Amino acid sequence: MASRKPNTTTELLQYWKSFVFLLTPVIFSPLPIYYASTENNKMASCGYVVIIMAVYWSGEVLPLAVTSLLPIVLFPLLGVQSAKDVSINYAKDAIFLLTGSLLFAVAVERWGLHKRIALRVLLTVGVEPRRLMFGMMSATAFLSMWISNTATTAMMIPTVETIISQLSSDHGERDDKVKETASTNEKTVLLSTTKSASGRESYVQPKELTTIPHGEDDDDAHLHEDEENVRLSETSAEQTDKLAKGLLLCTCYAANIGGIATLTGTSTNVMAAQVIQTLYPRGKGIDFATWFSFGFPTMVLILILAYFWLQWLFLDDSCLPGCMRKEGCRGACQSNQSSAAYQVIKRHYDELGPLSFPEKVVAFHFVLLVLLWFFRDMTFVHLENGQAAGWTYFFVRGYVSDGSTVI
């Protein structure tokens, strides 16, 4: 039986919602354009939005709840109402700013973009104890700038626990090797000592041993070596335990510190901006760029201080001075643990595979959203005509807000 040829019309009809979504605003665009220079421009623009929403609702082109949010975006852009006046019918403008940032955080978490960013930062910075702590704090603080503190901590802690587990496993293998070496040395001394006919001790070379100590000095050397191995093992175990505590705490601290940098970093920042706007209604208020201008430097300063403080508490005393003198950590904490941690991070990063299409879309919208926030209303640039120096220059001044931008 011959296979049927694919019908182009049938295939296109499968995407009818996409066509309706894209063509509806274009088809009805002459309505606001025709009345743009008349006194009925707001009425025409409002009708334009109502028609679009009616078509979307009738065909369920978008989820009904999403369609109901279109006035928050379209009314300010078309000059019908300001974002503040539109949002008050749903909730306050600050609530929509917080809601939009939470929706974006869900998208990042859904497609694992946060994990890719964190692992890439760790592989780039390095996995020596001091570098590992710096990488964890940097990645966590960056994610916390855009995602809530609690969600960022919940995302990063599993990665930290995996690294700690691998470090502990690596330390256990090293202890087994130390015990095996000590046992072999003990057997070497016992098997290599025999009694001669005159009662004097003499040393022979057993067949199963390749190297036999000769004399009491060699026996003492072996005992000293065993004691040194045990001491290094105990020291390494203590360093591993302290490093594990330091990594867990630095992740939690960095999540709180990173939330300071941006207006959407945590809900308290949004509420503080809303309170200031209420107390000083005639003021310019606090937008994303204004908050970032003083929040980001503060965050960087506190993060650096916390990093050095946690290093002093949880890393070996010789680690920081030794690294500053470019001598390294001078201990087992540098080589074996670093190698184990690197292998864990590299394996998890490779499991993510190449950058997927959803991850690319989320990353693109993330960059676009940040740029729109920064260049929405550059109040530090003054123009002669009194207009805002930003992309809102092309719309009615004061109508577009950070909340309508993120929605």
Side-chain angles (χ1 to χ4, degrees), residues 168-194:
S168 301
S169 175
D170 182 69
H171 168 68
E173 294 177 0
R174 185 166 54 252
D175 284 348
D176 294 340
K177 291 181 180 180
V178 170
K179 292 178 181 179
E180 183 179 353
T181 302
S183 177
T184 302
N185 291 338
E186 182 180 356
K187 290 179 181 180
T188 301
V189 174
L190 292 175
L191 292 176
S192 60
T193 304
T194 59

Side-chain angles (χ1 to χ4, degrees), residues 75 162 164 198 240 348 350 369 402:
F75 277 5
T162 304
I164 293 174
S198 60
T240 303
H348 281 272
D350 292 338
L369 176 61
D402 288 333

Side-chain angles (χ1 to χ4, degrees), residues 333-380:
C333 68
Q334 181 179 356
S335 57
N336 293 338
Q337 292 183 7
S338 298
S339 177
Y342 183 85
Q343 294 301 325
V344 171
I345 298 171
K346 188 69 167 61
R347 185 176 69 251
H348 281 272
Y349 186 80
D350 292 338
E351 290 175 356
L352 296 177
L355 197 65
S356 62
F357 176 75
E359 287 179 296
K360 293 179 182 178
V361 172
V362 173
F364 170 77
H365 283 87
F366 166 71
V367 175
L368 179 62
L369 176 61
V370 173
L371 292 177
L372 289 175
W373 268 339
F374 271 110
F375 299 103
R376 179 182 67 84
D377 188 4
M378 297 182 289
T379 55
F380 52 87

Side-chain angles (χ1 to χ4, degrees), residues 204-276:
V204 297
Q205 183 170 352
K207 296 180 180 179
E208 67 273 14
L209 299 176
T210 57
T211 303
I212 299 299
H214 297 280
E216 295 181 357
D217 293 340
D218 295 334
D219 296 344
D220 294 339
H222 274 285
L223 294 176
H224 179 71
E225 182 181 354
D226 294 341
E227 293 176 356
E228 183 68 16
N229 289 335
V230 173
R231 185 186 66 81
L232 289 175
S233 177
E234 294 175 352
T235 303
S236 180
E238 182 181 358
Q239 290 173 348
T240 303
D241 183 63
K242 292 177 67 176
L243 178 60
K245 295 177 182 177
L247 289 177
L248 290 172
L249 284 178
C250 80
T251 303
C252 300
Y253 288 170
N256 284 326
I257 295 171
I260 301 174
T262 61
L263 184 60
T264 57
T266 181
S267 58
T268 53
N269 298 353
V270 180
M271 295 299 103
Q274 185 64 34
V275 170
I276 293 174

Side-chain angles (χ1 to χ4, degrees), residues 114-128 130-140 156 159 163 337-353:
H114 66 287
K115 189 174 183 180
R116 184 181 295 275
I117 294 174
L119 295 177
R120 183 70 263 175
V121 170
L122 293 177
L123 291 176
T124 302
V125 172
V127 290
E128 293 178 6
R130 59 190 177 89
R131 294 177 177 269
L132 186 61
M133 182 176 289
F134 177 77
M136 288 301 305
M137 295 185 71
S138 301
T140 305
M156 295 299 295
T159 303
I163 296 174
Q337 292 183 7
S338 298
S339 177
Y342 183 85
Q343 294 301 325
V344 171
I345 298 171
K346 188 69 167 61
R347 185 176 69 251
H348 281 272
Y349 186 80
D350 292 338
E351 290 175 356
L352 296 177

Side-chain angles (χ1 to χ4, degrees), residues 41-42 45-46 49 74-82 396 399:
N41 61 333
K42 289 188 177 182
S45 299
C46 181
V49 175
L74 296 180
F75 277 5
L77 294 179
L78 296 174
V80 178
Q81 277 185 313
S82 65
V396 179
Y399 271 33

